[in-house]
Amino acid sequence: MSNAVEAHSLLSEFDVFLFRSGRHYKLYEKFGSRELRVDGRVGVYFAVWAPNAQQVSVIGNFNGWNPHSHPLQVRWDSSGIWEGFIPGLENGEVYKYHIHSSTGERLEKADPFALHAEVAPKTASIVATTWYSWQDSEWMYNRREHNALDRPYTVYEMHLGSWMRDPKDPNRFFSYQEIAERLVPYLQEMNYTHVEFMPVMEHPYYPSWGYQITGYFAATSRYGGPQDLMYLIEELHKHHIGVILDWVPSHFPGDSHGLYKFDGTHLYEHADPKKGFHPDWQSYIFNYGRNEIRSFLISNAFFWLDRYHVDGLRVDAVASMLYLDYSRKQGEWEPNELGGNENLEAVSFLKELNEAISKYFPQVQSIAEESTSWPGVSRATFNNGLGFGMKWMMGWMHDTLSYFKEDPINRSYHHNKLTFSSVYAFTENFMLPLSHDEVVHGKQSLIYKMPGDEWQKFANLRALYLFMYTFSGTKLLFMGGEFGQTSEWNVNQSLDWHLLQFKPHQSLKKFVSKLNEIYQSYPALYEKQFSPEGFFWIDLEDKANSVFVYCRRGHDWENDLIIVLNLTPVVRRNFRIGVPHPGEWELLLNSDDMSYNGSAVGVKKQVSTDPTFWMNQNQSFSLDLPPLSGLIFKRKIKK
């Protein structure tokens, strides 16, 4: 057994003041456990917030899990912080906090600030460090440019445990380092600018996909330790790929070792179940009105941006935070002080979060998964917005998938589903997501949402992707969608990589890689991706033919691109297209090209305009439109 707990503190009076006022954004430098040298002796310092506890002690293998052996000392300042130094302990020590609550309960809790945890189903915390000798200085120096809103931003969304597994042992997870060896070259081949990891924070229940978090500061140990995840991020940065993490400040599970009733009271969650319990997820909602909780959550956001060099946070379930009546029936919620259904405390928290990120990490992005018409989600807080950099465009996703599910013979009756989102496309900085939520729970894979025989399914999906990449906004595609995964996503197994032995899947993967390349290569697709000046319809009324024509524009009109979609299986011969500029236009991409397993309907590689007024344009040209296809044309610039 090691020595008794000694008095020691890393917390200044100013630290405690900031914590209690909700303004301490780096609590991870003070709370939790850390190996220190005090008076020449190595040991571990512990600090935990449990204001309603009668006693808090550290238990672990080192003391036989004896709750009476190593009691911490409560601070004199009524902050509710318990702390102390135990000589003889080192990194790697397994521990929990034993909490004797004010009501007499005896609780064993994992450390809310632990940097590492045992592999589930074990639940104890592990003393660890996040020190790492980073080798990504070039990326960090330039990442403001990589993450800017007027730069290409194409995201591969993935779940680490089910992207790829060991073919020799399908039940074995690859480690963070093994993932790095495979993921980095794959993303390079696919030309993605960013990767988004579904939650990597420690979670006890694997099928929750990581969204039921118990260890907010601990990278899940399923794939290795903190430095192993840092290595993965570093390798991505070395190869010019940004990293976004899913972040879940909206709710947490009721596991006995987690945050729920941490000191025997509703400490992290709101005590009122109308505000503190989430009926959909059977989980608990943070008390955003409590200053210490704001410090905890903003510190957690800073932690991943600071210690792990993360380039962005995609904030999960923002709508559930904003509305008091979210997923609640009449009588299950109470209006705010103004009589409305807005959660004013959550609104205030989100604004403070984004203001803090913008101030201290101006080179990163915060991205909201927000499914309602809440105004100004991605507008600055000084303009009464929430301050996010981007917002998922859920309406575009639902309307587009709904349209493409229709048999082409019926699409003329649903024409507006593909055009309606342009009405509100510039009210926010929108990201176009085809996310994991669309390929689970009986919704089918993307390829099987498409109508028709196999050839038509792939042709439809290529046309959908071309529409996605040429519509205004940044892009996100969930893993497997790039090669036409046929089954729904299953968190318990690898993607169906064997499908790539078949030409339709190979060709789709090649096509998505080409779309990513084109999106990054042509400024018309990204320079004004959030501005109405960057997009205009040339023809959105051709319901009879299910043909759509539009133009994308950047800072220089000479770089304009024309996009033509023919979303029926009918070849349109000598179809006239109006264009804004005279001259020669070159075919940049044809989703029906034979190299993408298309039908080989001939499309001219170059067309010249004539002064025929068409589609309200003074110039036009004629060409054959392939079936179920998308075409991109660029102006030929005379040298």
Side-chain angles (χ1 to χ4, degrees):
M1 183 182 296
S2 71
N3 299 325
V5 180
E6 298 180 4
H8 189 77
S9 183
L10 296 180
L11 290 153
S12 68
E13 290 185 29
F14 189 54
D15 283 322
V16 175
F17 168 77
L18 289 176
F19 172 52
R20 300 181 73 177
S21 62
R23 299 287 176 172
H24 203 309
Y25 300 155
K26 288 194 172 183
L27 292 178
Y28 51 90
E29 295 180 344
K30 307 290 182 175
F31 280 78
S33 61
R34 65 201 63 244
E35 184 183 295
L36 297 178
R37 183 176 293 273
V38 177
D39 297 330
R41 298 167 302 160
V42 171
V44 173
Y45 166 78
F46 296 89
V48 63
W49 180 53
N52 301 295
Q54 291 187 49
Q55 183 60 62
V56 178
S57 58
V58 183
I59 56 176
N61 292 330
F62 69 95
N63 64 8
W65 300 89
N66 180 354
H68 307 293
S69 176
H70 289 78
L72 298 176
Q73 299 170 9
V74 68
R75 286 181 65 92
W76 55 269
D77 51 18
S78 303
S79 63
I81 299 170
W82 300 74
E83 58 186 348
F85 174 75
I86 305 179
L89 301 188
E90 296 178 334
N91 287 330
E93 194 68 56
V94 175
Y95 72 100
K96 282 186 178 181
Y97 294 119
H98 181 276
I99 297 175
H100 184 189
S101 77
S102 58
T103 59
E105 288 181 277
R106 304 281 182 164
L107 307 169
E108 293 187 0
K109 292 288 187 177
D111 188 343
F113 286 89
L115 302 177
H116 195 34
E118 290 185 299
V119 179
K122 294 182 178 181
T123 57
S125 301
I126 300 174
V127 180
T129 176
T130 52
W131 185 88
Y132 187 72
S133 180
W134 285 93
Q135 305 293 320
D136 64 347
S137 57
E138 180 184 352
W139 172 271
M140 295 298 286
Y141 182 80
N142 295 310
R143 73 171 174 171
R144 181 192 289 268
E145 178 184 351
H146 294 298
N147 295 324
L149 294 174
D150 61 352
R151 300 291 298 162
Y153 208 95
T154 171
V155 181
Y156 186 69
E157 184 195 23
M158 61 176 292
H159 178 265
L160 288 173
S162 57
W163 175 68
M164 186 182 291
R165 293 193 182 180
D166 186 345
K168 297 178 182 177
D169 182 4
N171 292 319
R172 184 180 81 84
F173 295 131
F174 278 138
S175 69
Y176 290 117
Q177 295 201 17
E178 289 174 311
I179 292 169
E181 293 169 4
R182 294 156 176 81
L183 180 62
V184 171
Y186 185 74
L187 293 178
Q188 285 186 293
E189 177 192 358
M190 295 305 297
N191 294 309
Y192 280 98
T193 66
H194 291 74
V195 62
E196 178 180 323
F197 296 145
M198 292 169 69
V200 299
M201 302 80 185
E202 195 58 78
H203 52 284
Y205 186 54
Y206 179 72
S208 76
W209 309 340
Y211 291 99
Q212 299 277 6
I213 297 170
T214 51
Y216 272 79
F217 291 83
T220 178
S221 53
R222 289 175 175 87
Y223 319 116
Q227 288 71 25
D228 298 318
L229 175 56
M230 291 174 185
Y231 172 82
L232 169 57
I233 293 171
E234 178 182 83
E235 286 299 301
L236 289 161
H237 283 173
K238 283 181 178 179
H239 295 86
H240 309 291
I241 299 165
V243 179
I244 305 163
L245 295 187
D246 272 15
W247 187 57
V248 191
S250 48
H251 66 112
F252 58 87
D255 294 73
S256 61
H257 70 286
L259 298 179
Y260 175 62
K261 297 190 74 172
F262 185 78
D263 64 357
T265 69
H266 296 290
L267 190 62
Y268 285 86
E269 68 274 14
H270 205 292
D272 181 353
K274 292 183 178 180
K275 291 184 178 180
F277 182 72
H278 202 298
D280 282 356
W281 302 316
Q282 299 292 298
S283 55
Y284 296 87
I285 301 169
F286 285 102
N287 184 351
Y288 306 108
R290 187 160 195 169
N291 287 336
E292 293 91 344
I293 302 306
R294 295 162 83 101
S295 288
F296 173 83
L297 288 172
I298 297 177
S299 290
N300 187 244
F302 274 37
F303 172 77
W304 295 102
L305 299 171
D306 175 13
R307 294 287 175 87
Y308 281 84
H309 289 197
V310 166
D311 302 289
L313 296 174
R314 177 267 197 188
V315 183
D316 182 63
V318 172
S320 74
M321 300 170 65
L322 293 174
Y323 297 97
L324 294 168
D325 61 345
Y326 183 88
S327 199
R328 297 179 191 274
K329 300 174 184 176
Q330 193 70 32
E332 295 179 347
W333 65 282
E334 294 178 358
N336 62 36
E337 60 197 49
L338 303 176
N341 66 341
E342 303 88 359
N343 187 334
L344 300 179
E345 294 171 343
V347 172
S348 170
F349 161 72
L350 289 169
K351 288 182 176 182
E352 182 181 348
L353 166 74
N354 284 315
E355 286 172 355
I357 290 175
S358 179
K359 180 179 179 179
Y360 293 100
F361 298 93
Q363 68 276 42
V364 309
Q365 292 292 342
S366 62
I367 304 165
E369 187 227 3
E370 202 285 310
S371 55
T372 74
S373 57
W374 185 282
V377 171
S378 59
R379 297 293 175 253
T381 55
F382 59 75
N383 284 333
N384 203 33
L386 293 181
F388 286 93
M390 285 179 265
K391 169 182 171 173
W392 276 20
M393 197 176 189
M394 312 294 272
W396 173 90
M397 177 182 68
H398 291 305
D399 287 350
T400 299
L401 291 177
S402 177
Y403 178 89
F404 274 90
K405 285 179 184 177
E406 292 288 342
D407 189 296
I409 201 169
N410 297 323
R411 285 178 177 170
S412 61
Y413 304 106
H414 301 273
H415 197 77
N416 66 321
K417 287 183 179 177
L418 226 55
T419 61
F420 178 69
S421 57
S422 62
V423 174
Y424 61 92
F426 306 106
T427 58
E428 301 277 4
N429 299 336
F430 278 121
M431 173 178 281
L432 310 181
L434 292 172
S435 74
H436 65 273
D437 278 329
E438 301 313 303
V439 293
V440 290
H441 300 324
K443 294 181 182 178
Q444 297 183 301
S445 61
L446 289 179
I447 190 66
Y448 279 169
K449 292 179 193 288
M450 302 296 106
D453 58 22
E454 182 186 74
W455 185 90
Q456 290 184 337
K457 288 181 187 300
F458 279 93
N460 270 302
L461 194 54
R462 292 194 302 272
L464 188 162
Y465 288 162
L466 188 141
F467 172 56
M468 172 183 179
Y469 273 82
T470 56
F471 195 72
S472 295
T474 53
K475 328 296 176 187
L476 178 142
L477 182 61
F478 183 58
M479 64 181 196
E482 77 276 15
F483 63 80
Q485 168 94 6
T486 52
S487 59
E488 287 190 338
W489 171 48
N490 182 348
V491 74
N492 292 310
Q493 64 185 45
S494 168
L495 293 180
D496 294 332
W497 294 103
H498 65 275
L499 292 174
L500 285 171
Q501 65 185 299
F502 302 110
K503 186 178 180 182
H505 297 276
Q506 292 174 11
S507 301
L508 182 62
K509 175 172 168 277
K510 179 181 177 182
F511 182 68
V512 172
S513 176
K514 186 66 176 180
L515 284 172
N516 278 323
E517 176 192 324
I518 286 175
Y519 172 50
Q520 296 171 65
S521 302
Y522 292 89
L525 293 175
Y526 60 80
E527 286 182 339
K528 295 184 177 181
Q529 57 193 342
F530 302 125
S531 168
E533 298 174 352
F535 178 98
F536 64 89
W537 288 107
I538 292 175
D539 188 4
L540 77 168
E541 300 292 347
D542 192 354
K543 298 180 180 180
N545 292 312
S546 294
V547 170
F548 303 80
V549 186
Y550 50 96
C551 177
R552 289 299 309 277
R553 175 170 292 172
H555 297 311
D556 187 345
W557 62 267
E558 289 192 342
N559 295 327
D560 284 5
L561 299 178
I562 299 296
I563 295 90
V564 184
L565 303 176
N566 174 25
L567 300 182
T568 67
V570 178
V571 179
R572 307 290 177 187
R573 300 290 182 184
N574 296 314
F575 198 90
R576 185 162 288 273
I577 303 294
V579 294
H581 313 297
E584 294 182 340
W585 289 77
E586 295 178 298
L587 181 64
L588 181 60
L589 184 64
N590 173 11
S591 71
D592 188 58
D593 193 273
M594 286 186 68
S595 63
Y596 307 122
N597 203 37
S599 68
V601 169
V603 178
K604 299 175 183 176
K605 301 297 184 183
Q606 187 170 300
V607 288
S608 299
T609 64
D610 59 62
T612 302
F613 183 81
W614 203 259
M615 297 179 177
N616 290 316
Q617 306 296 314
N618 290 321
Q619 298 284 322
S620 59
F621 57 72
S622 295
L623 75 161
D624 294 340
L625 299 185
L628 296 173
S629 67
L631 307 174
I632 305 176
F633 288 92
K634 68 181 182 72
R635 292 187 68 240
K636 184 176 183 180
I637 307 299
K638 294 182 180 180
K639 298 181 180 179

